[in-house]
Every structure is written in structure tokens, then in C-alpha cells.
Amino acid sequence: NAGVTQTPKFRVLKTGQSMTLLCAQDMNHEYMYWYRQDPGMGLRLIHYSVGEGTTAKGEVPDGYNVSRLKKQNFLLGLESAAPSQTSVYFCASTLDSLNTEAFFGQGTRLTVV
Amino acid sequence: AQTVTQSQPEMSVQEAETVTLSCTYDTSENNYYLFWYKQPPSRQMILVIRQEAYKQQNATENRFSVNFQKAAKSFSLKISDSQLGDTAMYFCAFMSSQGAQKLVFGQGTRLTINP
């Protein structure tokens, strides 16, 4: 039981490049989330999903897209990376609307140069 | 929209001392959940303690306890007998009881325990 796994753990991109961050959970959780962590700002919600095939915008969605084609996976895409997207990205999941414990991945440190 | 504020960017105490981290929040809801998360240098997010707003009793987990003041919208974390392993970033977080279990985080407090 691996919990929540993020791939990759580190990445350096050039401005304008694209990439996809993968989040996988093996706990059969319904809800999944992508947060970004910046110094002095805590974690902010980018996008989230309440079930397979559904996604919704969070607090800071601009410049990102997501997909949840399979229940266990939640992908975060950057189509044209910008230096402002340099951050640490966390994926999280919760079981359902009756459970409040969020399980977090180990984070992905992304640098855009 | 809900907001969470942690007004102490950094704190430092000696090992075995007691330390209190502050958190205030803003919401118009009556039922919600509050959390404290610990983030050590490994970057892993670790749940420390959870409080349900409809419960008047303050939550405790071993050396960790909270002072939940609903009317004042205040949610502080007290760490007793602090240990070197408590050194970490601490985040206060809010979760609405309505919809999607999304977390709203404060800015974080960097806590250092000195030997």
C-alpha cells in the first residue's frame, strides 16, 4: 500500500516547455487535489476532482490543466511553463465526503528557468 | 471565501519548553474542521491534530493540544515538552463541511527547537 505517489520528484523546465505531473493513489479515494506551495503563502489549491471524469478549478488554476481519466490517477499539466510556476507541487486525496483526513504525496519540486 | 492567517512566520524555543503557535480564520459557516499539519525538512505533510467545530472540547494528541475559540475564530496549537524532532513548518488549515473536502491553508510557521 503505497498511499499517494507523485512522479517526478524534481524537474527543471525551460520557459515555454510543457510537462505533466502524475499523481497515483492506491486507496480507492474518490477525491483528489493538486496544491502548490510557495514561500510565505502556504499551500494553495490549483484544481481538484470529486470523481473519475470530473475536475474543478481551485484558487489558482490559471496556466494549469488537469485530467482524471482513471479513479486512481490525477494528472496536472503545464502547457507552456513560466517562471511564476516555479514551486513545490503536492497531490492529495481523501476517501469521500464523509472523511476529512487528507493523504499527501511527497511533493514535486519544479523549477522553471 | 474562507481565509486562514498565521501571524508568526518563525518561532524558536529550547528543548523541553512549551510553545504555542497561533492561527486565526475567517468563515461564515457554523460547521467546519480545523487542522494542524507538520512539514519537516523531508517535505512530507503530516497531520498533527484535528478539531471539529461543533465539538466544544479541545482536541489533544499526546504532547499536542489545541485551544479552539469558535467565537473568536482562533485555533492555536500548543506543543508541550518540545523535542528536537518537532522542528518543522507548521500549517493551520480549514475545511468546510460542505463540498469536496478542500483545505485552505495558512502561511505557515517555521518552528525551531534548540538543544
Side-chain angles (χ1 to χ4, degrees):
Chain A
N1 190 339
V4 179
T5 303
Q6 292 182 229
T7 308
K9 293 184 177 57
F10 302 93
R11 184 73 185 268
V12 178
L13 281 181
K14 293 183 178 180
T15 297
Q17 287 185 321
S18 64
M19 77 163 295
T20 300
L21 281 66
L22 171 64
C23 177
Q25 51 93 5
D26 60 1
M27 298 173 285
N28 201 36
H29 284 182
E30 290 292 334
Y31 296 174
M32 296 186 74
Y33 316 83
W34 277 106
Y35 294 90
R36 61 177 288 173
Q37 180 180 6
D38 302 294
M41 302 185 75
L43 281 74
R44 293 178 293 167
L45 183 64
I46 304 172
H47 285 280
Y48 64 99
S49 168
V50 297
E52 181 179 315
T54 72
T55 63
K57 294 180 179 180
E59 181 186 355
V60 288
D62 293 344
Y64 305 95
N65 56 75
V66 289
S67 64
R68 184 121 181 252
L69 299 179
K70 294 183 178 181
K71 185 177 182 179
Q72 63 268 34
N73 295 337
F74 195 30
L75 279 63
L76 178 70
L78 287 73
E79 289 187 350
S80 179
S84 61
Q85 295 178 303
T86 293
S87 188
V88 178
Y89 292 85
F90 284 94
C91 178
S93 68
T94 56
L95 179 58
D96 54 33
S97 62
L98 299 178
N99 287 270
T100 61
E101 184 171 2
F103 293 78
F104 284 83
Q106 73 275 40
T108 296
R109 180 175 293 279
L110 175 66
T111 302
V112 183
V113 297
Chain B
Q2 294 87 3
T3 59
V4 178
T5 302
Q6 294 178 247
S7 58
Q8 305 154 311
E10 296 186 15
M11 296 188 71
S12 178
V13 298
Q14 296 298 119
E15 193 176 7
E17 290 184 343
T18 294
V19 59
T20 299
L21 309 183
S22 301
C23 173
T24 59
Y25 58 94
D26 188 27
T27 184
S28 59
E29 298 180 18
N30 191 47
N31 292 325
Y32 47 86
Y33 303 91
L34 295 165
F35 305 83
W36 279 98
Y37 281 90
K38 171 185 178 181
Q39 186 182 48
S42 66
R43 220 164 55 195
Q44 184 64 42
M45 294 291 287
I46 302 167
L47 177 63
V48 175
I49 200 164
R50 183 187 82 156
Q51 176 77 42
E52 298 164 5
Y54 62 86
K55 290 187 176 180
Q56 292 187 341
Q57 186 173 6
N58 289 325
T60 62
E61 288 288 343
N62 300 314
R63 298 183 294 108
F64 299 88
S65 61
V66 298
N67 183 2
F68 173 49
Q69 301 290 328
K70 191 172 184 179
K73 297 180 181 175
S74 171
F75 183 61
S76 61
L77 174 70
K78 185 172 81 171
I79 306 174
S80 303
D81 185 26
S82 58
Q83 301 174 359
L84 297 179
D86 296 333
T87 293
M89 282 288 289
Y90 286 82
F91 292 99
C92 178
F94 172 99
M95 178 186 286
S96 170
S97 63
Q98 302 172 12
Q101 315 299 66
K102 296 174 289 183
L103 287 162
V104 178
F105 287 89
Q107 302 92 326
T109 297
R110 183 175 301 279
L111 176 64
T112 301
I113 310 299
N114 298 306

